[in-house]
Each structure stands twice: as C-alpha cells, then as structure tokens.
Amino acid sequence: MHKKSRFLVSILIMILMLTGIVNAGPKKITTVEDQVVINTTTGIHADWVECVIPEFKKHIKAKYGKEVDVIVSPGAIAQNWAKLEIEWPKPSGDLYVLYKNLIAEGAKKGYWEKMLDYYTDKELAPFNKTAVKAHGGYSIANNIHFWGPVVREDLIPIKFDSWSDFTDPKIKGRMTFDSALLVGSGSLSVLAAGIQLGADWEKDWVAKDGTLNKKAIEPALRLVRKWYENSLTLTEGSGTIRPLLQRGETMVSAWWSHQALGQKEAGYNVKFIFPKEGTIAWGFNGYVIPKTAKHKNLAIEFHKFLLSKRGYELAYNNGIYGFLIPRSDVEIPTAEKNFQPPAGLPVVAGYDFYDWLQQENVHNDFIEMFIRIVIQGQ
C-alpha cells in the first residue's frame, strides 16, 4: 500500500472511531491506588464482597506489584445514596451498590463512570445480556432473587401452591407478610394480590398521566386486607420473619428465595413456593463508580474481579446461593437449582413496580390507600 493510501486509511479509521462506528477498544488501567472504599449493603452483598477480598489483594499484587487495602462500609442502600448526594462531588466511597432506579437517577445527574468502557467483549460474553444492558453501561446487574411464600413443610397442613392460599383458614394466625409502611418489600403483597386477580399493574394501575389509578388497584388492596385478617402480624423485614419461622410460630411467610435457601442450608425444613399464577422477581442491583471517586482505578479492578468467574466461584464456595444472576461459564450449585422458577411460569419484575411507587405523585396515594384499606379495613 502506498504511503498516501495508508495515510487516508488511517484518517478514515480515526473518523469511524470518533463517530462510534468502530469500537476503539476498552479503556486500560496502568496503575491503581493504595485502597478502595466499598459502600455495600448489609447481609448478602457484604458477605460476597468480604469473601473475595483476600484473593483480590493477591490478584492486584501479582498484576501491579502493589499491596492494597479494601475498606467495606455496609449500610442500607437508601442511606448510602443519601450520603453520596450530600458529599457530591467529593464522595467518600469509590464503589456503591444501588437499586436500578437510583443508578438511573445518578446517570441523569452525570455521577457515574461508564463501567462497560473497561470491559472487553470477551469479558462480557458470559454475562446475561439483559444484565449487561440493564444500567446503560454504568454497571452490570448482578443479583436476582424471588419474593413469595416460604413454608415450613413440617408444619403446614395444606398444599401451598397459589397466592390464594394466604386466605386458607387452616393457616389463620400462622402466616405473615411485610408492612408497606415499614419496608419496601411490603408493597409486593399488593403486586402479588394483583397477580392472583389477573391484573397487569403497568396497564391497569398506572393512569394515563403516570399517577395511581385508585379504582383499578383497590381490588388488590382489599384482597391484601383479607390476607392481613388471616395473618399473625405484619412483619418488618427479614429480622422479624426469620425467628417466627424458626420457632414455628408461623407456617408460612412472604419472604425472599435466597433467605429460604439459607434457612434450608441451616437445617430448617422450609421451601420456597413459586405460586402457579406467577412469581415476583427482585434485584438487578449494580455496583457503580462515581466519576470523581478518589480511588477509581482500584474500584474498577475490584468490580471486575467481584463479577469475574472466580468472584462467582468464591461466592458459591461460601454458600451464597439463590442470589447471583448466573454466568454462562460457572455451574450453578445444586442447592440453588430448586430455587429457580419452573420454565414457563410468569415472572413479574417487582423492582419495576417498586420504582414506580417511589414517585412522589404515586407513593403518597398508595400509602394512604394501604393504611385505609389494609390496616384500618375501611
């Protein structure tokens, strides 16, 4: 090729790269900082992060010849988000696990580093395609689990296979579900009631202007009232559900699939039920890195290691089941396979419903109706 032709080809390639028609390749990291601060949740997210730290440090030592510290700061996602907003543009953390809606809100405000810019196509190939696309390139969704009835098989006197079984008189005073006034999962009882009634919340409950269609959602709330009348109490999350099930004070509680799996592994005779009308999925959280993070490079390296094949293997080796969105190159543990929905069962995205409820013009009306109909029985 003549020099002039090579020059013209080079110019053409540069133009195509700038316009995004040709992929310029992932960004490369050549140095890392001495430490990284990870703002994770309490519980299973923190367990996952903690179990990979020793090998991550060895990985960085081998790759960069550097000793590093990993500081884990567990807390509620809402609190971590509020703290980040207060501290912006100088956040104290480098890596944050957040809900799908908060990642989207942060992206609109220009908070995040584009995480996928640091991944090769080969590195992305084993991930679920929906998980890769979920956060607009700012993260990769890493977790999914299910919300539904968790039964004590050694105690329950009925075959529990439907949302309608929450009203069975044989379990009166021996079942629970969360309060929508106290924890986010409490709103999922209304979504579950809608599934039982055959409602499509996006088509039926969302008014044309995006607000709450009160008339349309009312039958679901009245069904939840019937569940409440059959219950022992309204719970306030896992801390109140777990001891009631363990002591046998309840036969069934609306809870998380990964929590049920943990109880099963601990020796309790529990089973997570996928109701025949459909189940509710939750998760699609992701780790994001602020553009202005103090230790951005090490945060990116940690994210890549956490979600790597080895990061998944370490999670499974440490009993973290029923939580991670599977990678195609890592075998799902046998213990987890029974906690996946049957093929063909309708799956409703609970996190999308919850995100909609958080809108100010929806949330206040929903809570008012929940109090009036479910709690007060009016």
Side-chain angles (χ1 to χ4, degrees):
M1 184 182 292
H2 295 297
K3 288 184 179 180
K4 184 177 180 181
S5 298
R6 286 199 298 268
F7 176 75
L8 290 174
V9 169
S10 299
I11 293 296
L12 179 61
I13 291 173
M14 289 177 65
I15 292 171
L16 291 173
M17 288 171 62
L18 289 171
T19 56
I21 298 173
V22 173
N23 184 7
K27 293 181 179 178
K28 296 187 183 298
I29 296 173
T30 57
T31 60
V32 293
E33 302 82 6
D34 293 329
Q35 67 174 32
V36 61
V37 179
I38 303 170
N39 285 262
T40 183
T41 64
T42 55
I44 199 163
H45 265 295
D47 293 341
W48 184 25
V49 167
E50 291 282 4
C51 79
V52 307
I53 288 175
E55 285 204 19
F56 171 72
K57 288 183 174 182
K58 293 178 182 177
H59 166 71
I60 293 299
K61 177 67 174 177
K63 185 173 181 179
Y64 295 99
K66 197 169 192 176
E67 301 283 351
V68 296
D69 290 327
V70 180
I71 301 169
V72 182
S73 180
I77 285 180
Q79 294 173 348
N80 289 336
W81 168 254
K83 184 179 179 183
L84 182 144
E85 290 235 278
I86 291 169
E87 294 176 342
W88 188 262
K90 297 180 179 180
S92 57
D94 304 304
L95 191 62
Y96 294 77
V97 62
L98 294 176
Y99 297 131
K100 188 168 178 271
N101 65 309
L102 296 179
I103 293 176
E105 186 175 340
K108 289 179 182 177
K109 294 180 178 181
Y111 284 176
W112 315 130
E113 185 75 9
K114 203 102 176 202
M115 192 83 75
L116 294 195
D117 287 350
Y118 295 87
Y119 279 80
T120 65
D121 291 341
K122 184 178 180 181
E123 288 172 327
L124 291 174
F127 290 105
N128 176 287
K129 288 182 172 59
T130 303
V132 172
K133 296 177 181 178
H135 301 307
Y138 296 102
S139 184
I140 299 172
N142 58 61
N143 71 303
I144 188 168
H145 41 278
F146 301 92
W147 184 90
V150 177
V151 303
R152 279 285 301 262
E153 289 194 285
D154 54 334
L155 299 177
I156 197 159
I158 63 171
K159 181 183 178 181
F160 204 111
D161 63 1
S162 168
W163 293 111
S164 64
D165 291 328
F166 273 135
T167 57
D168 194 303
K170 291 181 181 178
I171 62 170
K172 185 175 179 61
R174 303 288 298 279
M175 57 83 71
T176 66
F177 59 95
D178 280 337
S179 169
L181 306 182
L182 300 169
V183 287
S185 55
S187 63
L188 299 183
S189 60
V190 182
L191 183 58
I195 293 173
Q196 181 187 325
L197 296 172
D200 182 326
W201 74 268
E202 291 182 278
K203 293 180 180 178
D204 301 332
W205 298 351
V206 182
K208 290 182 179 179
D209 61 357
T211 58
L212 179 67
N213 185 329
K214 297 180 182 180
K215 184 178 180 180
I217 200 174
E218 185 170 332
L221 285 158
R222 295 209 174 277
L223 178 54
V224 175
R225 170 64 190 185
K226 292 181 180 179
W227 295 356
Y228 180 42
E229 292 170 349
N230 209 40
S231 72
L232 171 65
T233 185
L234 290 181
T235 43
E236 304 175 22
S238 298
T240 55
I241 296 169
R242 186 179 297 106
L244 292 174
L245 273 175
Q246 289 179 343
R247 294 195 298 261
E249 293 180 45
T250 54
M251 300 174 180
V252 56
S253 290
W255 205 16
W256 303 110
S257 58
H258 68 280
Q259 293 284 2
L261 200 157
Q263 292 302 294
K264 187 80 172 177
E265 291 293 302
Y268 293 94
N269 192 356
V270 300
K271 181 179 181 180
F272 184 84
I273 304 297
F274 290 99
K276 60 187 178 183
E277 302 90 349
T279 191
I280 297 173
W282 188 264
F284 266 61
N285 299 345
Y287 281 90
V288 287
I289 299 172
K291 285 182 177 179
T292 55
K294 294 179 184 177
H295 314 106
K296 187 192 301 183
N297 288 352
L298 191 56
I300 292 166
E301 287 284 8
F302 188 86
H303 182 271
K304 294 182 74 171
F305 189 82
L306 184 71
L307 271 66
S308 69
K309 180 181 180 180
R310 184 55 184 159
Y312 267 56
E313 289 171 346
L314 288 167
Y316 292 148
N317 291 345
N318 282 272
I320 297 174
Y321 303 140
F323 176 72
L324 298 174
I325 298 174
R327 286 177 57 106
S328 63
D329 57 354
V330 183
E331 179 70 20
I332 297 174
T334 302
E336 185 172 316
K337 291 180 179 178
N338 293 331
F339 287 78
Q340 298 297 321
L345 185 74
V347 178
V348 179
Y351 42 84
D352 287 338
F353 175 65
Y354 179 75
D355 288 352
W356 173 64
L357 287 183
Q358 298 316 296
Q359 297 178 29
E360 188 174 351
N361 61 349
V362 176
H363 184 260
N364 294 340
D365 287 342
F366 175 79
I367 292 299
E368 182 277 325
M369 291 187 74
F370 191 92
I371 294 171
R372 176 170 54 83
I373 296 174
V374 179
I375 305 298
Q376 298 175 347
Q378 296 179 8

